[in-house]
């Protein structure tokens, strides 16, 4: 396929992998890919298999549905169950468990929950059903926040009376800060998020290189992108550098997308703090609607319980998200917690570290048990 | 990757062993924990299996049903010929989509279920559940389309039923078809018949139907020329059986849940493994592109005119040549091999030379698509 196949050239990828092996010889390096999209690519294409064994990829907190705490899911379900509401959400979010089931369960139980591909589709529904209240469940990082912002601006321009947003947008930088400040962690560098950086640019990552002396390479989402980014990280380390580099220059501009940032700034502001699944409260890590957009703020228009629900005891999503443990090190991974019956959010989305590992990562184990030659290896 | 894990933590292997044991122990047990039916139960993936094995299987259990193949095969008392019998219901939305409509799908789908049992379809039944207010003109169009599809396939619709329900109690129209056919091979076909060494063939590009349906829904504003691949596969199966006969071990049409789900059903039933070669899997560039955009895997997307054929290795080339001679098999490919171990798993050698497990579809967030 045009524009994709170039980034899936097996021969080129294996040459870069050999270069990584040469540059990193004798070292055991741990890199965190922050973004769930990267985790997905890594598992879907079997990239860990291709990289030399002394390179460890740690899956970070960049999966939007994974970081949402149970209490917020409960709030969403409460809104969805309100009479007259059409509750719209991204498909992935439907299966995330709250304390009393998921949106999918609420839907089966009679709530009008629909999935949309964009908040603009939700606004369109509001036009179609003027006598119903249409609520959009806004989740995600700076990747999805601009489209929510643009939708809010349009709703304001149209004077929409029956549309509102349940805002759960989070920002990536405070989460990375929290990870860097976590004492039980040793990382050698970051594969930086591609789509988020397209919006926020390169500057917000400077502190990672400057203050923490860790290299950052902003990466695209194709297998070649990720392997090349890892090689750039290894190269920085071998040359004793710690800089913010941009592998995804075909999309990411150093200054980001100014118009997207403006739209966000016009509609949203930082919350003083926000709870992240498994990571606790992180200050200034999420967005809420500005007071001028109160008319479209579902949190103000509907009664939400707003109760903080503790994560299930057995679930170690937090440690997984921080990269302290690998998914398979969690007590319930693959036994009580599977993609069909997820306990933690990391097992729900295909971008979640646990689901990705469960679905794609079991090959070597099985092959080893059967004493099979690894084909193509 | 494993040895890497062992390097960083010696317990990893033990943990994975434990998970594997749980998995193996559960292999034949599908757990139904849900209290309500959700759309996932209709997705054709794991949840559907849990429902079938948790509710229908135990209640109806008998030797004809239990293999859970596409059709039941039996000999009528006093007869000599083996008959195949199957049924399927159609609830697709929208009713009309590029490349077909619900009526065409209802005829082809049941013909295909018979064909997968190695049977020549004879007769179909058609049951209609109509919603009050449904336009007669649309009904005519759908019924005409069914008649045309049946005529082209050389079969007759010989019995039927009509029910009308109140407005709001059905989504326009639902169709059920059942069919009988005469089994024309002496081979035992079934998803439990896979042998190590067998080759896996596909008659053409995958994912067309599911993608066409997704695009036909209004939410996606993507323009494309993708059409549903809906087709009656019995003549293709006929020529395959003529050419390689008893060396065909299993035929399956990868509808809901896609190729990934069908292959997983086979490895579970046969207690074998399947290794696929991702670059050899035929997928149209448009379908690949749309799947990339939506984050979907063509291997889990529904097909309505595709055939998975598992054949003995010595017959694979003849089978491939035969498929390619047929109009519905021009782009046929051999894309996988059966091996003995590790049982009940499907693996994929990825396009970039990596490896991964290919699991069944787990709960589909999309509305029903066939």
């Amino acid at each position: 396929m045009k524009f994709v196949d170039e980034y899936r050239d097996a021969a080129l990828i294996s040459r870069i992998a050999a270069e990584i092996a040469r540059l990193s010889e004798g070292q055991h390096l741990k890199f965190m890919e922050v973004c769930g999209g990267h985790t997905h690519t890594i598992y879907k294409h079997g990239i860990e298999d291709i990289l030399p064994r002394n390179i460890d990829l740690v899956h970070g907190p960049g999966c939007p549905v994974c970081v949402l705490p149970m209490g917020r899911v409960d709030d969403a379900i409460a809104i969805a169950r309100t009479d007259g509401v059409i509750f719209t959400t991204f498909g992935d979010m439907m299966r995330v468990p709250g304390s009393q089931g998921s949106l999918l369960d609420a839907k089966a139980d009679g709530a009008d929950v629909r999935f949309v591909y964009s908040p603009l589709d939700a606004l369109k529904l509001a036009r179609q059903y003027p006598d119903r209240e249409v609520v959009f469940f806004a989740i995600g990082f700076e990747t999805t926040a601009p489209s929510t912002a643009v939708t809010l601006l349009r709703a304001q321009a149209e004077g929409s009376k029956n549309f509102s947003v349940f805002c759960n947008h989070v920002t990536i930088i405070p989460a990375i800060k929290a990870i860097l400040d976590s004492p039980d962690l040793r990382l050698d560098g970051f594969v930086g998020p591609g789509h988020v950086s397209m919006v926020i640019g390169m500057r917000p990552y400077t502190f990672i290189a400057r203050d923490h002396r860790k290299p950052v390479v902003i990466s695209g989402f194709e297998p070649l992108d990720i392997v090349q980014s890892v090689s750039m990280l290894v190269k920085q380390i071998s040359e004793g550098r710690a800089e913010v580099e941009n592998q995804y220059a075909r999309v990411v501009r150093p200054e980001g997308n100014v118009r997207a940032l403006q739209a966000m700034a016009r509609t949203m502001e930082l919350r003083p703090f926000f709870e992240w699944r498994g990571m606790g409260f992180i200050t200034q890590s999420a967005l809420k609607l500005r007071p001028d957009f109160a008319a479209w703020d579902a949190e103000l228009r509907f009664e939400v319980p707003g109760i903080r629900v503790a994560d299930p005891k057995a679930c170690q999503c937090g440690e997984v998200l921080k990269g302290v443990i690998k998914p398979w090190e969690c007590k319930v991974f693959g036994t009580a917690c599977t993609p069909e019956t997820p306990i933690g959010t990391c097992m729900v989305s295909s971008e979640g570290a646990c689901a990705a590992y469960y679905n794609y990562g079991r090959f070597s184990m099985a092959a080893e048990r059967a004493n099979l030659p690894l084909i193509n290896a | 990757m494993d040895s890497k894990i062992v390097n960083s933590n010696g317990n990893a292997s033990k943990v994975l062993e434990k998970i594997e044991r749980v998995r193996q122990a559960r292999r034949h047990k599908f757990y139904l924990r849900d209290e309500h039916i959700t759309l996932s139960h209709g997705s054709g993936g794991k949840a559907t299996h849990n429902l079938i094995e948790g509710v229908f299987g135990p209640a109806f259990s008998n030797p004809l049903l239990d293999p859970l193949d596409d059709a039941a095969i039996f000999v009528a008392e006093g007869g000599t010929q083996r008959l195949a019998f199957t049924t399927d219901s159609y609830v697709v939305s929208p009713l009309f989509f590029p490349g077909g409509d619900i009526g065409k799908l209802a005829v082809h789908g049941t013909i295909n279920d018979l064909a997968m049992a190695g049977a020549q379809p004879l007769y179909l039944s058609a049951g209609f559940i109509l919603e009050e207010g449904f336009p007669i003109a649309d009904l005519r169009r759908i019924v005409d389309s069914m008649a045309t599809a049946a005529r082209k396939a050389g079969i007759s619709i010989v019995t039927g039923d009509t029910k009308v329900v109140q407005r709001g109690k059905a989504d326009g129209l639902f169709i059920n078809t059942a069919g009988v056919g005469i089994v024309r091979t002496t081979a035992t076909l079934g998803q439990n018949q896979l042998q190590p060494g067998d080759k896996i063939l596909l008659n053409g590009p995958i994912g067309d139907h599911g993608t066409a349906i997704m695009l036909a829904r209004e939410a996606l504003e993507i323009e494309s020329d993708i059409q549903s691949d809906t087709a009656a596969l019995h003549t293709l199966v006929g020529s395959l059986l003529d050419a390689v006969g008893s060396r065909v071990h299993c035929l399956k049409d990868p509808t809901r849940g896609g190729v990934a789900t069908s292959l997983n059903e086979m490895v579970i039933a046969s207690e074998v493994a399947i290794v696929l070669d991702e670059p050899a899997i035929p997928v149209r560039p448009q379908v690949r592109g749309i799947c990339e955009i939506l984050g979907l895997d063509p291997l889990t997307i529904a097909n309505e005119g595709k055939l998975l054929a598992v054949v003995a290795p010595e017959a694979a080339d003849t089978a491939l040549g035969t498929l390619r001679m047929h109009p519905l098999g021009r782009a046929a490919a051999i894309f996988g091999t059966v091996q003995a171990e590790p049982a009940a798993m499907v693996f994929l050698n990825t396009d970039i030379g990596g490896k991964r497990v290919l699991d069944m579809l787990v709960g589909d967030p999309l509305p029903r698509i066939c």
Side-chain angles (χ1 to χ4, degrees), chain B residues 244-287:
Chain B
V244 290
S246 61
R247 283 165 299 174
V248 180
H249 294 156
C250 178
L251 297 170
K252 212 163 165 57
D253 56 337
T255 53
R256 285 174 315 173
V259 169
T261 302
S262 292
L263 294 179
N264 270 289
E265 287 166 351
M266 291 183 200
V267 295
I268 291 170
S270 296
E271 309 226 348
V272 292
I274 288 176
V275 180
L276 303 182
D277 183 21
E278 188 172 37
I281 303 171
V283 186
R284 282 182 215 285
Q286 303 97 303
V287 171

Side-chain angles (χ1 to χ4, degrees), chain B residues 161-191:
Chain B
D161 176 53
T162 308
K163 296 282 185 293
V164 178
V165 296
Q166 282 180 19
R167 194 183 291 271
K169 305 276 177 183
D171 191 2
L173 145 120
F174 299 146
I175 301 178
N176 171 275
T177 52
V180 287
I182 297 175
V183 179
R184 38 165 300 148
T185 171
T186 52
T188 313
L189 293 173
Q191 52 189 13

Side-chain angles (χ1 to χ4, degrees), chain B residues 52-93:
Chain B
I52 291 172
E53 306 253 356
V55 176
F56 302 117
F60 299 148
S61 177
N62 62 64
L64 290 184
L65 173 73
D66 293 347
L68 294 176
D69 277 319
D70 286 318
I73 295 177
F74 56 92
V75 179
E77 210 177 292
T80 51
Q81 276 185 317
R82 292 198 299 158
L83 298 177
F85 179 40
T86 189
T87 184
D88 210 336
S89 299
Y90 299 83
V91 295
V92 66
S93 167

